[in-house]
Amino acid sequence: MEKIRTIITQDAEVDDQNSLRHILLYANDIEIQGIIQTSSVFHWIGQRGTQGPEDKPDYDNVYRWTGTAWMNEVIDNYESVYENLICHDKNYPTPHYLRSIIKVGNIGYPGEMDNPTEGSKLIKERILDDDLRTLYIQVWGGTNTIARALFDIEQEYRDSSCWQDLKNKIEKKVVITACGEQDNTYRDYIAEVYPNIQFVKCLQMKSYGYAWNMMPEGNSKENLKADFFKKNILHHGALLDKYATWADGQYYEGEPERCQFGVNKELMKNWWGIKAGMGEHVHYDFLSEGDSPTYFCLFPWGLRGLENFSYGSLSGRFEKDNSQKNSKGELLNYWNPVDDAYTDIHGKTVYTESMWGYVEHIQNDFAARANWCISNINDEQPPVVEIEESKDFLVTKGQEIQFHLKMQENVDYFIKYYQDASSYKKCIDTHINNNVISINLPTDLKNKDQLHFIIEGKNKDKHRLARFAQIIFTVNE
């Protein structure tokens, strides 16, 4: 399978630092081509003589700035566990390679894209390369360094005869997965010049950010609580020793007291999220990885969200927002997250962030990878969920469809009709008998209806690792 390639841009907030430690455990499965620090409306280094708006400090002053040395410190920690990691998979990149792709981008103030930077030059180079793979650029901070790279390309080529073809190529090649809009440069520049670049707003802040305590009870929430982290994540080698949790004693450079979640223990019961209903915490609860949904969708776990973000992925499900236009009235390729049904521990079905049902699996897998950092013994493998026939079927209403799993020992299999992603909004009966999956299609289906089925395989080992197959039926009457 061809590896997904990606560039990380981040503003170095503590949850970004957690996200970087987490994604490095999957650097064998995806190809990281850049780790770039940028600014955002939350963090900047300051640029002399720059005046900010009234509701922010002057942009010539430093604001919640963490420095840039931390990125190499994280790679130092990665290097400490590297020999164990490559016992599990030789495809982990070397620490030397990872250091070579660490760059500082545009960091002066929110939306600063005044000049090319080492970060913007790396992005520009990757956008213009001959690699035919989609380039997924993650945004954990502002989009300004990406905007500068795109601006430099425009300046270089806009007067040439090839500009329109190049622009069309870029708009197809680049996909931005963003933790929202954390400065003005997507709106003010990217959307104006490159409106067809797909912008996927991967906001699942209740599922995997500071607000997780607000979510329904169930396995996903249990796997974000202190007991899970103390048992499975913390004290699992140098890479995770500084993974930040609530009241763990860590001090965050540049942050004010109201954001010192590691050392200011009063925040557990009196933090800024209390007024918003985000709840109290105990020592070692999950703090946040609010930006990680920008890359969970890239994991090759069998879900098909990268074919079409409306199909859903580990990052949730998204729909194109046809109300989003630029100042010229051009429709933007802008995608928003939508809710899915989730059945809580009490059997009550509620609609909530569409990523929430996958958090338990993400965390179980995280725990297994954490164990790789301290052990060179690989005694647990995730299942491979394969269908003998196809992942796509043309069907007719009222038809009984049967297809077959390639069964593995030590794996439990489950199937569900993914109603939220499907055009048919009633229930559909599904059955698994040994390796045979049977689906009885309703008689009131309409031509072109699309039906999604998720097959989950979960191993019976310590971490109950899960993988998936997503089967799509299209009604052809």
Side-chain angles (χ1 to χ4, degrees), residues 110-125:
E112 184 263 302
M113 50 181 286
D114 297 351
N115 296 293
T117 59
E118 291 304 308
S120 70
K121 290 174 185 177
L122 183 149
I123 295 171
K124 177 186 175 184
E125 179 182 329

Side-chain angles (χ1 to χ4, degrees), residues 340-357:
D340 274 354
Y342 177 81
T343 302
D344 69 14
I345 197 170
H346 306 295
K348 180 182 178 182
T349 298
V350 296
Y351 271 84
T352 191
E353 290 183 348
S354 47
M355 163 177 180
W356 186 237

Side-chain angles (χ1 to χ4, degrees), residues 200-226:
V200 186
K201 189 169 73 173
C202 296
L203 276 180
Q204 303 280 346
M205 293 302 291
K206 293 181 182 178
S207 294
Y208 218 63
Y210 294 104
W212 66 270
N213 224 3
M214 301 174 71
M215 294 298 276
E217 299 292 334
N219 290 337
S220 287
K221 182 174 274 190
E222 289 302 310
N223 284 1
L224 296 176
K225 292 182 178 178

Side-chain angles (χ1 to χ4, degrees), residues 124 148-160 163 189 194:
K124 177 186 175 184
R148 180 68 212 198
L150 290 167
F151 174 80
D152 287 338
I153 293 171
E154 182 201 8
Q155 294 302 300
E156 185 173 344
Y157 291 99
R158 67 181 178 183
D159 295 328
S160 71
W163 167 238
Y189 179 73
Y194 301 89

